Amino acid sequence: MIEKGILRAKHGLSVYKDGTIRFDATNAPLTHITPVEIGVSIEKMHQMGYISDTHGLPLTDSNQVCELKIQDVVIPWSAAEYFIHIAAFIDDLLVRVLQTTFILQHKKS
């Protein structure tokens, strides 16, 4: 369907050979963070289990470095923005090509 290609271009999305749209974050390995880098308060860091910094000192300052726990992931803002573009593409696809109502109703914040 050429319409899908036009809509992808409209929303700035590229497609892989298998027809999927992906966000590549493989060039962003992250092992250490500071609360200020990710916009999280010290209280929230404590709630998530980050009690001390990499030197074993109590976490009290938003500039202290913490080792990222294996189960935690920091999603880049660019990924969130890309997902908004994907949602807009799907909305347009549903309405303009498949002639149905949109369901995602994406909103920028």
Side-chain angles (χ1 to χ4, degrees):
M1 261 188 195
I2 194 159
E3 296 91 346
K4 287 170 74 174
I6 293 168
L7 289 177
R8 278 192 210 97
K10 174 186 173 188
H11 295 287
L13 303 172
S14 56
V15 65
Y16 287 81
K17 290 180 189 178
D18 63 358
T20 59
I21 297 171
R22 305 176 191 169
F23 180 82
D24 185 10
T26 56
N27 290 334
L30 193 59
T31 59
H32 293 73
I33 57 170
T34 63
V36 74
E37 284 178 322
I38 59 171
V40 177
S41 69
I42 297 295
E43 294 78 21
K44 185 65 176 176
M45 292 291 287
H46 287 169
Q47 290 173 2
M48 293 188 300
Y50 292 91
I51 307 301
S52 58
D53 67 8
T54 54
H55 301 291
L57 300 172
L59 185 60
T60 58
D61 185 279
S62 61
N63 289 306
Q64 285 176 273
V65 177
C66 299
E67 186 175 356
L68 192 63
K69 295 179 184 288
I70 190 105
Q71 73 273 7
D72 292 337
V73 177
V74 178
I75 304 295
W77 281 111
S78 56
E81 292 167 356
Y82 197 72
F83 292 142
I84 294 291
H85 289 282
I86 294 171
F89 162 72
I90 292 171
D91 282 349
D92 272 353
L93 182 65
L94 288 170
V95 172
R96 297 174 191 265
V97 178
L98 303 177
Q99 299 173 345
T100 185
T101 58
F102 61 91
I103 55 172
L104 299 176
Q105 299 179 8
H106 64 281
K107 294 182 181 174
K108 287 188 175 185
S109 56

